[in-house]
Amino acid sequence: MGKKLLLEHDHVPGIQGYDVYRKNGGYASVEKAIKTMSPEALVEEVKKSGLRGRGGAGFPTGMKWSFLAKPEGVPRYLVCNADESEPGTFKDRYLMSRIPHILVEGMIASSFALGVNKAFIYIRGEYYYIVNILEKAIEEAYANGWLGTNILGTGYNLDLYVQVGAGAYICGEETALLESLEGKRGNPRIKPPFPAIAGLYGCPTVVNNVETLASVVPVINMGGDAYAQIGIGKSTGTKLISASGHINKPGVYEIEMGITVEDFIYSDEYCGGILNGKKLKAVVAGGSSVPVLPADKILNLANGEKRLMSYESLSDGGFGGGTMLGSGGFIVMDETTSIVENLFTFARFYHHESCGQCSPCREGTAWMEKILHKIVDGHGTMADIDLLWEIQAKIEGNTICPLGDAAAWPVASAIRHFRSEFEEYVSNPSGVKKNKHYDSVHNNVNV
Amino acid sequence: MADIKFSEDTLALANKIIARYPEGKQKSALLPLLHLAQAEFDGWLSPATMQYVASLLQIQEVEVYEVASFYSMFNLKPVGKCLIEVCRTSSCWLRGANEIIEHLENKLGIKEGQTTPDGMFTLKTVECLGSCGSAPMMQIGAQYHENLSYEKVDGILDTCKAEGTRKTYLDKVVVDKY
Ligand SMILES: Cc1cc2nc3c(=O)[nH]c(=O)nc-3n(C[C@H](O)[C@H](O)[C@H](O)COP(=O)(O)O)c2cc1C
Ligand code: SF4
Ligand code: FES
């Protein structure tokens, strides 16, 4: 069994409630942080741990924290990004609904480290039922003296609130999130200034993912150096992976970074192999935004070594031959899957979610959906495939926020690795079998 | 317009939410208040409802509309008592979302985007709801219905019909069994 830092107590009955959580070592990190450490020492500890943002970009958390501006007399904010809308990703939901206190605990310790007195959890609106779970946990934390005024008699004050979104993937982008939290449309801001200088209400703000903030708990408990020993190279610690698609055991798994992709897909501890004993065709390893890779490329590196579940190994090979860990949304496709149709669902998604501020993204996502629809429908031409390629190339790097790139990469990688499949749709539309995916055996077993 | 007014409890909650934000930043309460309003006033945001929310926050009605129209969970037109939101994105598609949508259309006798004549069901397709590991799935009000089979869908529709109540995002629901 791999090391578990976040889900260690996942199966303890009652862990959702305060008493059981506390009995299992909960809130020790807050005690240690507030009573025995200075904010500066805490930031240092997080730096040493090598913890990287778990929201998708993998930016070093300690470094982000050290950029936070601290002008005299201006409040600072910590905002937890619980928008989780990247297709294939459902780990934050799992963590918040099962062990809500670990997020509350991580946010208290992090707020103390950052000198924050007011913090928010911005959660996607569809997770409304989790708002109730989090608010109950927060209430329990107040009742037990971990939140509010004069925490642990130290004079430190902190208020924590849950803010609910209302359906918009783009609000996961940190500046769009802040706009939304201010009660506006979720249009990303032009950077700079970065949130660390001018974020919520124009004040210095840190935005971190749910899993990042929860990981601060083990970092403080065990110390940064010990945390950095777990994992591999610059991919320290554990990572929650959301596994979905054609596998025997979909779900959320906490892995120690550095296990092989092959082990993750085929071992019974994790995905348990491909559904119905079929062959693996392709994997989208880090949520919809990252490049899709065919079976041989996701399992092995160009030099023949096995690819690992880590930031570095997944991106090995660059854009031509690699992918990214991203948010850890691991989507597995078996040999019957149409890459073209799957791509169409992504293109439709990005078109639906583009905020429309920049024309390359607004127009490009609309065109990509339209052309893919035409190809899937059997009316595509060879020129359409080239046009798709051109459009994605024009979006990349020409937009305010990274959603444009995120929309372009899946298209680029699908054409790069599976061009012959697109050509088949064009040259022999009636010969392409339209897959039905409803699987009465498994759907009924699941009931 | 006369009858658009929060119940006492909801108004108290709304005021508590408004008080969370720093002085002068009350507009931050807009999304939370729109959720409360949509749940309390028939599952959609009518112009009168938006006007009421604007008055609570002392902002312009057009500001409310501008925001409400950006977010997919806010309905600017009436919807059935049970708004069925079926995920159609990759992971769900890989596990039969299209077939579930087809099944729902046949069962309800409506197409995606339509409402049944009795006003009971509206069928909507949506993007990833963060339930990809329990695909295919749909959301009705606050409740996630996961690992769907045709039989399971039929049972859910029957239960909704028997209950006959409006489902909202604010409902207290059974928490996930993973
Ligand atoms: C279109 C888009 C959507 C995003 N969605 C999310 C999200 O749902 N959750 C998240 O934590 N980060 C998301 N991010 C990344 C955030 O902008 C930000 O980098 C992250 O919250 C920082 O936290 P971290 O450093 O702890 O990862 C998204 C970025 C983009 C461009
Ligand atoms: S890249 Fe797309 S989503 Fe991002 S700001 Fe521009 S239009 Fe909006
Ligand atoms: S793809 Fe359907 S819930 Fe994520």
Side-chain angles (χ1 to χ4, degrees):
Chain A
M1 287 283 278
K3 192 124 191 117
K4 304 264 183 289
L5 302 176
L6 302 176
L7 300 183
E8 192 185 348
H9 302 298
D10 186 30
H11 292 288
V12 177
I15 195 72
Q16 207 189 46
Y18 175 78
D19 292 336
V20 175
Y21 181 76
R22 176 75 175 141
K23 267 194 211 103
N24 282 276
Y27 289 95
S29 75
V30 175
E31 256 175 329
K32 181 171 175 186
I34 298 190
K35 284 198 180 153
T36 71
M37 295 173 76
S38 70
E40 296 73 28
L42 280 162
V43 174
E44 217 30 60
E45 221 46 54
V46 173
K47 270 192 186 162
K48 274 196 272 179
S49 74
L51 175 64
R52 293 165 69 175
R54 304 294 195 230
F59 192 82
T61 305
M63 201 189 296
K64 180 187 268 193
W65 287 11
S66 66
F67 292 156
L68 185 68
K70 298 189 167 145
E72 225 23 64
V74 179
R76 305 189 273 276
Y77 295 101
L78 172 66
V79 179
C80 169
N81 189 341
D83 193 58
E84 191 169 74
S85 312
E86 171 97 354
T89 316
F90 46 98
K91 59 173 180 96
D92 295 340
R93 172 182 169 217
Y94 185 92
L95 190 63
M96 290 187 291
S97 62
R98 297 188 55 123
I99 319 180
H101 278 286
I102 198 170
L103 175 59
V104 176
E105 178 177 354
M107 286 193 73
I108 299 169
S110 305
S111 296
F112 178 74
L114 297 166
V116 160
N117 301 112
K118 199 182 271 233
F120 292 93
I121 301 171
Y122 181 97
I123 187 167
R124 68 179 296 183
E126 293 89 342
Y127 289 177
Y128 215 112
Y129 74 97
I130 303 179
V131 173
N132 302 327
I133 295 172
L134 288 170
E135 283 185 339
K136 175 144 184 286
I138 290 171
E139 208 173 280
E140 290 174 328
Y142 271 102
N144 288 281
W146 303 105
L147 279 168
T149 49
N150 196 20
I151 296 169
L152 300 181
T154 58
Y156 177 60
N157 306 329
L158 176 65
D159 285 311
L160 174 57
Y161 301 105
V162 184
Q163 174 86 4
V164 65
Y169 167 65
I170 192 58
C171 290
E173 192 283 328
E174 57 188 9
T175 60
L177 184 154
L178 296 173
E179 287 286 294
S180 181
L181 182 41
E182 292 180 6
K184 303 178 198 155
R185 295 164 73 92
N187 288 336
R189 299 174 180 167
I190 294 172
K191 298 193 246 190
F194 288 90
I197 310 297
L200 184 62
Y201 310 128
C203 301
T205 302
V206 166
V207 181
N208 272 136
N209 174 258
V210 173
E211 186 188 346
T212 313
L213 291 168
S215 296
V216 170
V217 173
V219 166
I220 295 176
N221 283 337
M222 64 203 299
D225 287 333
Y227 186 92
Q229 293 303 310
I230 301 165
I232 181 165
K234 285 188 173 155
S235 298
T236 63
T238 62
K239 175 85 189 82
L240 297 178
I241 305 290
S242 319
S244 68
H246 297 139
I247 45 177
N248 284 315
K249 292 169 55 199
V252 174
Y253 297 101
E254 180 170 16
I255 62 156
E256 179 169 348
M257 280 199 267
I259 66 169
T260 66
V261 173
E262 185 176 294
D263 193 30
F264 184 68
I265 297 177
Y266 291 101
S267 99
D268 278 335
E269 196 180 337
Y270 306 111
C271 303
I274 309 298
L275 200 59
N276 294 324
K278 292 241 167 43
K279 283 205 199 75
L280 175 68
K281 177 169 185 176
V283 172
V284 173
S288 59
S289 304
V290 312
V292 60
L293 285 185
D296 60 323
K297 289 203 166 65
I298 187 70
L299 295 172
N300 306 300
L301 301 175
N303 66 8
E305 280 175 29
K306 290 199 185 311
R307 200 184 281 279
L308 309 179
M309 299 288 283
S310 71
Y311 291 100
E312 291 73 25
S313 189
L314 283 167
S315 59
D316 189 293
F319 265 39
T323 180
M324 287 184 285
L325 177 60
S327 63
F330 198 89
I331 309 173
V332 179
M333 296 172 231
D334 74 13
E335 56 190 314
T336 70
T337 308
S338 158
I339 294 294
V340 181
E341 281 184 63
N342 182 66
L343 180 64
F344 169 67
T345 77
F346 285 154
R348 183 174 58 188
F349 168 80
Y350 287 107
H351 176 214
H352 187 259
E353 302 299 337
S354 166
C355 84
Q357 272 192 114
C358 340
S359 44
C361 172
R362 183 184 62 236
E363 305 298 327
T365 53
W367 274 105
M368 292 194 301
E369 183 194 344
K370 210 182 216 166
I371 296 168
L372 277 162
H373 188 255
K374 194 176 153 198
I375 295 176
V376 168
D377 244 14
H379 305 296
T381 63
M382 291 295 173
D384 284 332
I385 305 174
D386 297 326
L387 186 57
L388 261 183
W389 182 267
E390 270 170 45
I391 295 171
Q392 67 78 22
K394 281 199 183 112
I395 302 176
E396 200 195 333
N398 290 316
T399 56
I400 294 178
C401 91
L403 185 140
D405 300 344
W409 295 337
V411 174
S413 57
I415 298 180
R416 180 178 290 124
H417 300 299
F418 296 96
R419 194 182 170 102
S420 61
E421 228 181 280
F422 288 80
E423 291 170 353
E424 202 185 322
Y425 265 83
V426 167
S427 58
N428 184 17
S430 54
V432 178
K433 59 174 188 327
K434 289 271 155 51
N435 295 307
K436 288 279 180 197
H437 291 293
Y438 184 78
D439 172 343
S440 57
V441 176
H442 283 90
N443 289 47
N444 283 315
V445 164
N446 281 331
V447 173
Chain B
M1 173 67 207
D3 53 337
I4 300 279
K5 201 163 177 280
F6 278 147
S7 69
E8 228 169 85
D9 284 356
T10 313
L11 189 60
L13 178 57
N15 284 327
K16 217 172 115 188
I17 293 171
I18 294 171
R20 283 175 188 170
Y21 311 101
E23 198 51 43
K25 306 296 180 194
Q26 273 56 45
K27 197 180 169 186
S28 277
L30 184 49
L31 267 62
L33 259 57
L34 286 173
H35 273 296
L36 297 182
Q38 179 162 284
E40 192 146 319
F41 306 121
D42 299 323
W44 72 295
L45 298 172
S46 68
T49 300
M50 286 191 268
Q51 200 180 337
Y52 175 66
V53 171
S55 73
L56 289 176
L57 292 174
Q58 297 173 332
I59 57 178
Q60 299 295 316
E61 212 182 313
V62 48
E63 287 180 76
V64 176
Y65 177 79
E66 192 186 72
V67 170
S69 61
F70 184 84
Y71 296 93
S72 65
M73 289 174 77
F74 294 136
N75 303 313
L76 300 182
K77 281 190 289 197
V79 292
K81 283 185 176 170
C82 298
L83 174 61
I84 303 176
E85 300 179 271
V86 197
C87 172
R88 62 183 186 182
T89 319
S90 171
S91 303
C92 283
W93 172 78
L94 289 170
R95 296 297 293 255
N98 282 9
E99 289 86 339
I100 292 291
I101 294 166
E102 228 176 81
H103 182 74
L104 278 161
E105 288 183 335
N106 292 336
K107 271 303 268 199
L108 298 171
I110 53 174
K111 290 278 164 207
E112 186 242 299
Q114 297 176 336
T115 301
T116 52
D118 61 358
M120 192 65 216
F121 296 104
T122 298
L123 182 61
K124 185 178 173 189
T125 56
V126 296
E127 303 299 344
C128 180
L129 292 177
S131 177
C132 330
S134 17
M137 68 81 62
M138 63 186 186
Q139 175 168 28
I140 303 178
Q143 184 75 55
Y144 274 40
H145 299 280
E146 309 181 297
N147 296 311
L148 294 176
S149 65
Y150 295 152
E151 292 76 6
K152 201 167 174 185
V153 167
D154 294 349
I156 293 161
L157 296 184
D158 288 344
T159 309
C160 284
K161 257 189 247 167
E163 289 172 356
T165 51
R166 180 171 292 286
K167 303 284 188 284
T168 83
Y169 297 120
L170 277 61
D171 294 343
K172 297 274 179 275
V173 299
V174 183
V175 170
D176 319 81
K177 313 183 280 294
Y178 284 97

